[in-house]
Amino acid sequence: MCGLSGEIRFDGRSPDTAAVARMTDRLADRGPDGQGAWTRGAVALGHRRLKIIDLSDRGAQPMTDARDEVTGVFNGCVYNYPELRDELRRLGHRFTSTSDTEVVLNAYLEWGTACVERFRGMFAFAIVEHRTGRVVLARDRLGIKPLYLARTPGRLRFASTLPALLAAGDVDTSLDPVALHQYLSWHATVAAPRTVLNGVRKLPPATVRVMEPDGSHRDHRYWQPSYTRRPEHAGMGADEWRDAVLDALRTAVRRRMVADVPVGVLLSGGLDSSLIVALLADEGQRDLRTFSVGFEAEGGEKGDEFRYSDLVAREFGTDHRRLMVPSERVSTALDAAVAAMSEPMISHDVVAFHLLSEQVSQEVKVVQSGQGADEVFAGYHWYPRLAEVPREEEPERYAETYFDRPHADMARILRPELLLDEDVSARFVREHMAAPGAQTALDAALRLDTHVMLVDDPVKRVDNMTMAWGLEARVPFLDHELVELAAACPPELKLADGGKGVLKEAGRKLLPHEVVDRPKGYFPVPAIRHMAGPVLERVREALHAPEAKQRGLFRDEYVAELLAAPDEHRTRRGANALWQTALLEIWLQTHGIR
């Protein structure tokens, strides 16, 4: 929930409150229910509120604790805040609201930066110590909630979205060649702390940054599962692992029902979202609201999976809504979806999530969603190939399997001034896989996908598209205790049954077999995948725009080759190469970057 912003000065000057106000205004979609501002000394904070917990004005932000020691802004939800509030009360802390924000402030006063280790949830926050002027920035373990940073001499600005930082002004919008290499290599993913813009960075997941008044800072990464087999699980068989996973998922789903407003579910009809619905029904939820989206077929490709979502809705008696989107609506919705992107994203389901979120936000403010299960439980088709290779060969096999294109292809795509001599994306993978921990090749691949690729693709996509409509999405498969359990699970149990084997076994205890054993699905948007009609026209317009010509990112002959056969050029991972190329230009133009 919500959007936060702020500025810290290190040069003795007062913060630019007008710039903070512009950032806050740009975050209005994330927090349509209220706004606030605070300034003291070298720090100014702004906030837009989405009312989920404590609907009264006592939950408004920026919030100062009862003893006037700290002030903070917070985005997200700490699901165990009632238990923490009780504990903090016993320790002598006073509360004037029932909000989780006030719990965060008092937890910081009691435990310092170690408070994050007690939080169960998703969050990004900034806390200012009144006495010292120190500012603490933090992000949740899986990076579900974003925090973008723009540092210039004498100043740091931060916000929940990159466009909010652009609204403040004075941002270096030149392109980062390393980030561009990652974008073209990793299906548009750019790993923290980079973004495609040189002047904007993002706080990495599971990180606390302490900013001192002189501008120096120190970072602490407070969580990282080992991805090794653990002694406490010794002797567990397949059935015991199935039950342990099901119990952990049940806890995760139950936690994410904490709210003072109704909570729905985005139901695709796949195993993951269907399990969420089944567990909620098993917990006694009645008349649960569920939502699905589908698109018109294009190029012989079907655009909906209503057969399965309808089956699950009937099985568990949900109050179900289906949204069928005509192809012409995709092209008109495209620009709005791009405007909601903090960073360029090429996955087809970006538009799907944006359209679905628009519809869902008219009925509920909070939904649970099934993102993350494929990375956490090894559901993608490339994992068996990675598990077969010796550990030392895995970075090369990962690149062959996961990368959109090899480093050598960059020379025919990018203008010479943007080319890098080194394959920086492959180096990143090698270094990540060589880090301590990760017992097997598959463990190393899952660690990389869960803690890097997942954070800056599916997780970011869901946050951006839902929050654009003031809708909070909660992702139980990224409950950190469930992720820890899955990381310790033997690889063969995850790879079984074509992937996600242990999760499928859990599903068989609750779901119809047609759902568990169905072919793997996704949010298909055929009009984008096949560059149909108006979508292709929008792509041509962007690539021929004066801004694109002036920027000169891509070689003219490469763009001409793609436009001559829009549906024929695919990356190694199956992405439409024209869409990947054009989307970056569309995003830059949409956000006024020249």
Side-chain angles (χ1 to χ4, degrees):
M1 64 178 183
C2 309
L4 61 85
S5 61
E7 177 175 313
I8 315 168
R9 301 296 307 208
F10 311 119
D11 55 6
R13 299 175 61 184
S14 298
D16 186 341
T17 55
V20 175
R22 290 194 298 273
M23 288 193 285
T24 305
D25 289 344
R26 187 63 178 79
L27 296 167
D29 290 341
R30 294 181 73 94
D33 297 334
Q35 63 180 325
W38 176 90
T39 185
R40 183 182 294 188
V43 183
L45 302 176
H47 191 264
R48 293 291 313 207
R49 186 181 182 200
L50 179 65
K51 293 182 179 180
I52 302 296
I53 292 173
D54 190 346
L55 309 185
S56 75
D57 290 341
R58 291 188 301 273
Q61 300 182 50
M63 181 180 288
T64 299
D65 75 291
R67 296 182 294 192
D68 195 32
E69 294 186 31
V70 295
T71 297
V73 283
F74 171 75
N75 169 30
C77 185
V78 174
Y79 304 124
N80 63 329
Y81 80 96
E83 296 90 337
L84 289 174
R85 185 174 57 206
D86 290 343
E87 182 177 359
L88 288 163
R89 274 196 178 123
R90 291 192 296 271
L91 292 169
H93 293 267
R94 294 187 296 114
F95 292 85
T96 61
S97 75
T98 58
S99 74
D100 53 343
T101 304
E102 193 172 17
V103 170
V104 169
L105 296 180
N106 282 280
Y108 177 77
L109 288 171
E110 182 65 33
W111 298 302
T113 56
C115 66
V116 292
E117 298 173 22
R118 296 171 179 260
F119 297 158
R120 307 289 182 262
M122 55 182 185
F123 54 85
F125 63 74
I127 292 177
V128 184
E129 294 183 359
H130 297 172
R131 184 179 60 82
T132 65
R134 184 178 294 126
V135 180
V136 176
L137 307 174
R139 198 169 173 206
D140 66 70
R141 296 167 179 85
L142 275 303
I144 301 166
K145 286 299 165 187
L147 190 57
Y148 289 89
L149 313 167
R151 180 98 186 228
T152 55
R155 183 189 70 210
L156 175 71
R157 288 177 179 157
F158 53 87
S160 293
T161 71
L162 187 152
L165 290 173
L166 294 177
D170 192 23
V171 174
D172 177 2
T173 57
S174 63
L175 293 189
D176 180 337
V178 173
L180 183 59
H181 196 285
Q182 293 179 357
Y183 173 91
L184 291 170
S185 298
W186 299 339
H187 220 59
T189 301
V190 174
R194 296 182 184 274
T195 75
V196 292
L197 304 183
N198 274 314
V200 180
R201 292 296 180 253
K202 50 205 175 195
L203 189 69
T207 299
V208 176
R209 174 168 296 178
V210 179
M211 301 294 311
E212 298 293 347
D214 64 0
S216 63
H217 74 270
R218 61 184 185 275
D219 284 1
H220 169 58
R221 185 178 179 90
Y222 61 89
W223 180 78
Q224 174 61 65
S226 66
Y227 284 80
T228 58
R229 313 294 79 79
R230 301 201 315 230
E232 61 265 35
H233 300 135
M236 285 177 59
D239 289 349
E240 292 166 299
W241 273 106
R242 175 202 63 202
D243 293 344
V245 165
L246 191 56
D247 287 345
L249 182 58
R250 188 186 304 277
T251 298
V253 169
R254 185 189 302 124
R255 280 175 177 160
R256 283 154 184 80
M257 291 302 289
V258 171
D260 294 333
V261 295
V263 179
V265 177
L266 301 182
L267 176 61
S268 69
L271 171 67
D272 313 327
S273 61
S274 299
L275 261 172
I276 295 171
V277 171
L279 286 167
L280 289 173
D282 208 37
E283 290 280 306
Q285 289 286 328
R286 296 292 176 262
D287 299 318
L288 180 70
R289 298 186 205 182
T290 54
F291 306 88
S292 300
V293 66
F295 297 83
E296 285 186 350
E298 294 282 356
E301 181 178 19
K302 189 178 179 184
D304 74 78
E305 297 185 324
F306 289 150
R307 168 190 167 191
Y308 297 106
S309 56
D310 287 352
L311 172 62
V312 174
R314 285 194 304 269
E315 178 77 14
F316 298 103
T318 72
D319 181 6
H320 190 56
R321 306 284 192 277
R322 298 198 317 183
L323 171 64
M324 173 58 81
V325 181
S327 291
E328 60 266 21
R329 180 76 176 92
V330 174
S331 60
T332 59
L334 176 58
D335 282 319
V338 174
M341 296 177 184
S342 275
E343 299 173 67
M345 311 174 203
I346 66 168
S347 294
H348 308 147
D349 65 3
V350 170
V351 178
F353 267 112
H354 193 263
L355 288 165
L356 180 59
S357 299
E358 178 185 13
Q359 186 83 3
V360 173
S361 67
Q362 298 172 25
E363 301 197 37
V364 296
K365 283 188 171 185
V366 184
V367 288
Q368 296 204 36
S369 180
Q371 268 62 42
D374 286 303
E375 289 84 356
V376 172
F377 287 100
Y380 290 126
H381 64 84
W382 56 76
Y383 289 128
R385 290 190 64 217
L386 294 173
E388 295 169 356
V389 300
R391 183 68 182 274
E392 63 273 11
E393 297 177 16
E394 190 190 21
E396 288 70 30
R397 176 64 64 87
Y398 186 92
E400 293 169 4
T401 305
Y402 186 90
F403 283 30
D404 273 316
R405 52 182 57 82
H407 173 68
D409 281 5
M410 301 296 177
R412 71 181 188 88
I413 295 173
L414 296 172
R415 296 294 180 105
E417 57 270 24
L418 290 170
L419 291 174
L420 299 172
D421 292 335
E422 183 186 5
D423 186 347
V424 291
S425 300
R427 183 185 69 190
F428 183 101
V429 169
R430 286 195 304 271
E431 291 175 352
H432 197 279
M433 289 185 168
Q439 189 168 333
T440 69
L442 181 67
D443 288 313
L446 292 175
R447 181 178 63 182
L448 175 60
D449 283 358
T450 299
H451 301 277
V452 178
M453 304 303 182
L454 171 68
V455 172
D456 276 296
D457 187 12
V459 167
K460 180 171 62 186
R461 192 186 326 154
V462 172
D463 173 81
N464 285 191
M465 296 305 108
T466 55
M467 291 303 295
W469 297 102
L471 177 68
E472 178 179 298
R474 299 175 173 181
V475 279
F477 285 99
L478 297 186
D479 184 278
H480 79 273
E481 291 177 343
L482 177 63
V483 171
E484 289 172 350
L485 181 69
C489 181
E492 60 272 18
L493 296 182
K494 288 178 280 195
L495 290 173
D497 204 3
K500 291 197 290 196
V502 66
L503 196 62
K504 289 177 181 176
E505 287 303 311
R508 289 191 174 93
K509 298 191 74 171
L510 297 170
L511 295 171
H513 70 87
E514 298 98 319
V515 174
V516 178
D517 297 321
R518 57 165 290 190
K520 181 173 175 55
Y522 63 106
F523 260 151
V525 187
I528 292 178
R529 180 169 169 78
H530 298 286
M531 290 287 102
V535 173
L536 178 57
E537 289 309 306
R538 181 67 185 90
V539 163
R540 291 185 187 277
E541 175 190 341
L543 291 174
H544 288 148
E547 302 97 310
K549 297 295 185 183
Q550 182 177 358
R551 201 177 343 261
L553 294 180
F554 304 104
R555 290 182 175 272
D556 291 341
E557 56 270 30
Y558 177 70
V559 173
E561 179 185 341
L562 297 181
L563 287 172
D567 194 28
E568 292 182 12
H569 298 278
R570 301 277 166 183
T571 71
R572 290 195 305 203
R573 282 190 58 193
N576 186 298
L578 174 59
W579 175 243
Q580 186 183 46
T581 303
L583 190 277
L584 179 56
E585 261 302 333
I586 294 173
W587 184 84
L588 291 167
Q589 293 170 28
T590 298
H591 293 286
I593 298 168
R594 297 182 179 276

